[in-house]
């Protein structure tokens, strides 16, 4: 469980992160330490990272999806059919998943 002071510090750091402002290495380590132990902090970190990467969303469906927190944690892990070959995307997968 987070103390009030820890929660406020975490939220202040994540606000700066989401706006693309400077966050020190020590602050990132502090956030990650709490994110591994607390699901709420992990969710806040994912949302802050998503906000940092993306422009504001005005489409109601995209806004709903962002609020549901269904996005990938890895910014480059999504498949883009216009640029990616599905077979290459699964190169690290077990042989039974890869296409023959």
């Amino acid at each position: 469980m987070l103390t009030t002071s820890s929660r406020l510090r975490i939220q202040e750091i994540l606000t700066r992160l989401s706006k693309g402002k400077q966050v020190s290495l020590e602050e990132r380590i502090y956030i990650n330490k709490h994110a591994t132990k607390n699901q709420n902090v992990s969710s806040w970190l994912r949302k802050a990272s998503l906000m940092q990467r993306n422009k504001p969303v005005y489409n109601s469906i995209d806004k709903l999806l962002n609020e549901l927190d269904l996005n990938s944690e890895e910014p480059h892990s999504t498949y883009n059919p216009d640029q990616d070959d599905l077979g290459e995307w699964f190169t690290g997968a077990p042989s039974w998943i890869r296409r023959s």
Side-chain angles (χ1 to χ4, degrees):
M1 182 153 186
L2 291 173
T3 64
T4 302
S5 62
S6 294
R7 180 183 54 81
L8 292 174
R9 181 175 179 208
I10 289 168
Q11 289 177 332
E12 186 271 327
I13 294 168
L14 291 175
T15 299
R16 283 189 285 128
L17 180 70
S18 69
K19 294 179 180 180
K21 295 184 178 178
Q22 185 174 0
V23 177
S24 71
L25 176 61
E26 290 81 16
E27 291 171 326
R28 290 176 188 266
I29 292 170
Y30 179 78
I31 294 289
N32 283 324
K33 181 180 90 170
H34 284 286
T36 58
K37 296 178 183 177
N38 188 307
Q39 178 111 19
N40 289 332
V41 177
S42 178
S43 176
W44 297 340
L45 178 58
R46 278 194 310 275
K47 288 180 183 180
S49 297
L50 180 67
M51 289 173 68
Q52 181 186 30
R53 289 190 306 262
N54 294 332
K55 298 177 183 173
V57 177
Y58 300 106
N59 178 330
S60 59
I61 293 176
D62 288 338
K63 183 177 178 183
L64 172 66
L65 291 174
N66 285 343
E67 289 172 358
L68 290 173
D69 193 26
L70 299 174
N71 299 301
S72 172
E73 292 180 25
E74 297 294 324
H76 305 293
S77 67
T78 56
Y79 173 68
N80 182 348
D82 295 331
Q83 297 178 356
D84 299 326
D85 176 43
L86 189 58
E88 290 177 12
W89 199 60
F90 284 101
T91 54
S95 60
W96 60 271
I97 292 179
R98 288 179 276 176
R99 70 177 155 175
S100 54

